[in-house]
Amino acid sequence: VQLVESGGGSVQAGGSLRLSCTASGFTFDDSEMTWFRQAAGNECELVSTISSDGITYYSASVKGRFTISQDNAKTTMYLQMNSLKPEDTAVYYCSNRGAPAHCEGPGTQVTVSS
């Protein structure tokens, strides 16, 4: 299994970013995919999931601002993040495993300044 996150960066509050997670080594379109994040000094937390049939879930802190999606042809999952807040600052990780929360690998850094 290989998962590569990209798209992070530094933005001002209110801005937007789109994260990507390119997957290989497993059957992507049969898998539930998940975004996690971990802010410095905080525990890893689940941000959003998308099931193999497109059912989505969002944590309360991002619901209405973030949108998860996937492109099976490209074996890539996305996280469109709008109306970003300083508290969204974290390293974001993708996974093909759900809870419990796990933040593994390099991830992609998102920094939101006020």
Side-chain angles (χ1 to χ4, degrees):
V1 173
Q2 186 172 21
L3 299 163
V4 179
E5 304 96 343
S6 62
S10 296
V11 297
Q12 291 190 326
S16 299
L17 285 171
R18 188 177 81 154
L19 305 184
S20 299
C21 169
T22 302
S24 62
F26 63 98
T27 307
F28 181 82
D29 50 3
D30 284 346
S31 301
E32 179 174 277
M33 297 296 294
T34 303
W35 285 101
F36 297 99
R37 69 184 181 186
Q38 187 166 24
N42 288 7
E43 294 185 350
C44 180
E45 64 173 339
L46 188 150
V47 176
S48 181
T49 65
I50 184 165
S51 71
S52 58
D53 52 3
I55 296 172
T56 58
Y57 165 83
Y58 300 94
S59 68
S61 61
V62 308
K63 193 170 185 178
R65 300 186 297 120
F66 290 11
T67 303
I68 192 171
S69 62
Q70 62 186 37
D71 184 332
N72 289 337
K74 296 182 179 180
T75 64
T76 299
M77 175 177 64
Y78 303 98
L79 187 68
Q80 178 66 44
M81 306 186 296
N82 298 330
S83 302
L84 282 162
K85 304 176 180 179
E87 51 263 44
D88 294 318
T89 295
V91 180
Y92 286 70
Y93 304 84
C94 64
S95 176
N96 64 339
R97 296 181 286 132
H102 52 279
C103 293
E104 301 169 349
T108 187
Q109 175 72 49
V110 171
T111 303
V112 185
S113 58
S114 57

